Amino acid sequence: MEFAQEPPCKKQRRELGDEAEAEATGMEGLPRDIVLDILSRLPVTSLVRFRLVCRSWRALGGDLLLPDAQIARTAVRDPFLVFHSDFPLRNQLSFVELSAQDQDCGHGRSKKSALLRKFNLPFSNSMPEFDVVGSCNGLLCLADLLYRETLFVYNPFTGDHRELPRSQQYADQTVVFGFGFHPGTREYKVIKIAYYPNPSRAGAGAGARRPRRVPHMQSEVQVLTLGGKTPAWRSLGRAPYQIDKRSSDTVVDGKLHWVAGPRRYRTSRQLVSFDLADEQFREVPRPEGVSIGRSNYQLMALRGCLAAVIYCNYGRLEIWVMRTYNVKESWAKEHAIGSYMPKALKQSASPMPFKSRGGRASRVVCGLDSGEILLECKSRALVAYDPKRGKFRDISLQGVPSYFHALVHVGSLSWIDSHPDT
């Protein structure tokens, strides 16, 4: 089932007649602040349908103050779960209300399963295969999966989308992306960190016959501020850290977060932030006595705090939360979750063609309002874990892809400027 984003065609409008356009509903005569108060209480799916009713309602729904008001009142409290699937053919995006997973389904006495709805991707011909860089403040950032050169910013509910300008490319480059929104500057930014071999130092010396076993790597940090008529990439110079090759949308306190690899005089890995306001990298204190390896961690925002998920042996995981940002002593282990095999995985032993997310048995998606932790198991099933009872429950959905990557998305009418190019 697809989600409708467009108004009725001309033929449908003629069949409906002009009465719908001419009939007054009373909404048009209300003061602006009252209309905003009413509309800001609606989920984005209802707002999109509201704007399709008639021209006058479309104008009311196009108020520039509505996106921020709706995000503050409704969207943040009732986000959506977006599923990205690249199996079996073209990439697809589908969604379901996250509150559908948060209902007390009787822990085994579930009601009718929620139905996933597909987004009609307007850029599918130009970028059929993509990776989700991140979701932030109502928008998705998507990158071409094959060459990592094409980038799109996309509001899946309104259909607004824009291809971003091309950035500087390097031969044999490895790219790390970041996507975030700073509430103070009110700017969306895309960060690209490129690592590439330096051809001038590819050999051990001028007369060397053998090339270096490990080529000397160069780096460059590029930033694109979205909005405006002619956005352009800006270079911030070399990257001060060797960032692990994972895109980031973990925004806490106006900063993106990654894990950086060992440096010349430091053998341990570090937590690194990039301030979206002053565009500076800084180290963030990590949990005391916790080992962060190349593939056994996950950074995320949990209840507005920076959290680190540490994946242990035999499918176990720990969730550490920094309760006061940038205070090392505030790190605390809040959850220790054991291994679990969902029924859907027990019934099928087929190989997993979807791109591996670190090869883990499970991945933390988010925390639910009920206090449960939502887990994605082997990109094929969703499970909710209740820390108080120590119990798991399988999540049943209609139309869920066979293989997927799930992420939390705040649904809104937001866009990078007031006149999107669609």
Side-chain angles (χ1 to χ4, degrees), residues 61-200:
D63 193 312
L64 297 181
L65 298 181
L66 179 57
D68 289 343
Q70 190 262 347
I71 284 180
R73 168 165 285 173
T74 304
V76 174
R77 295 201 312 266
D78 297 311
F80 292 84
L81 202 59
V82 171
F83 294 78
H84 172 218
S85 174
D86 63 2
F87 177 81
L89 298 174
R90 287 192 172 190
N91 283 211
Q92 297 178 346
L93 290 176
S94 52
F95 73 98
V96 69
E97 292 185 15
L98 188 58
S99 58
Q101 323 316 316
D102 203 13
Q103 298 170 350
D104 183 3
C105 298
H107 299 285
R109 304 185 300 273
S110 62
K111 301 178 182 178
K112 185 177 180 181
S113 301
L115 175 64
L116 264 69
R117 302 169 69 182
K118 293 181 181 179
F119 291 115
N120 183 19
L121 304 180
F123 48 82
S124 57
N125 291 332
S126 57
M127 193 173 68
E129 298 187 26
F130 57 85
D131 193 14
V132 179
V133 174
S135 165
C136 194
N137 204 57
L139 302 185
L140 293 173
C141 183
L142 311 173
D144 175 43
L145 185 62
L146 299 179
Y147 303 106
R148 311 289 284 180
E149 295 180 2
T150 304
L151 286 168
F152 272 88
V153 61
Y154 173 50
N155 185 322
F157 289 98
T158 65
D160 295 335
H161 64 285
R162 179 177 297 172
E163 183 175 356
L164 303 182
R166 298 293 179 96
S167 59
Q168 175 68 44
Q169 305 293 321
Y170 298 94
D172 300 323
Q173 69 176 5
T174 300
V175 175
V176 180
F177 285 114
F179 176 61
F181 174 81
H182 194 285
T185 62
R186 305 203 56 75
E187 293 177 328
Y188 292 91
K189 291 185 179 181
V190 180
I191 293 85
K192 174 186 173 182
I193 307 173
Y195 297 95
Y196 57 95
N198 186 351
S200 64

Side-chain angles (χ1 to χ4, degrees), residues 308-328:
V309 183
I310 309 299
Y311 294 91
C312 309
N313 295 329
Y314 308 108
R316 298 178 295 108
L317 62 89
E318 298 175 352
I319 301 179
W320 291 71
V321 177
M322 181 186 276
R323 295 171 178 173
T324 303
Y325 186 77
N326 215 30
V327 176
K328 183 174 183 178

Side-chain angles (χ1 to χ4, degrees), residues 389-404:
R389 303 169 68 243
K391 300 290 185 180
F392 294 89
R393 65 179 176 93
D394 293 1
I395 300 294
S396 177
L397 296 171
Q398 297 183 59
V400 67
S402 300
Y403 303 92
F404 59 84

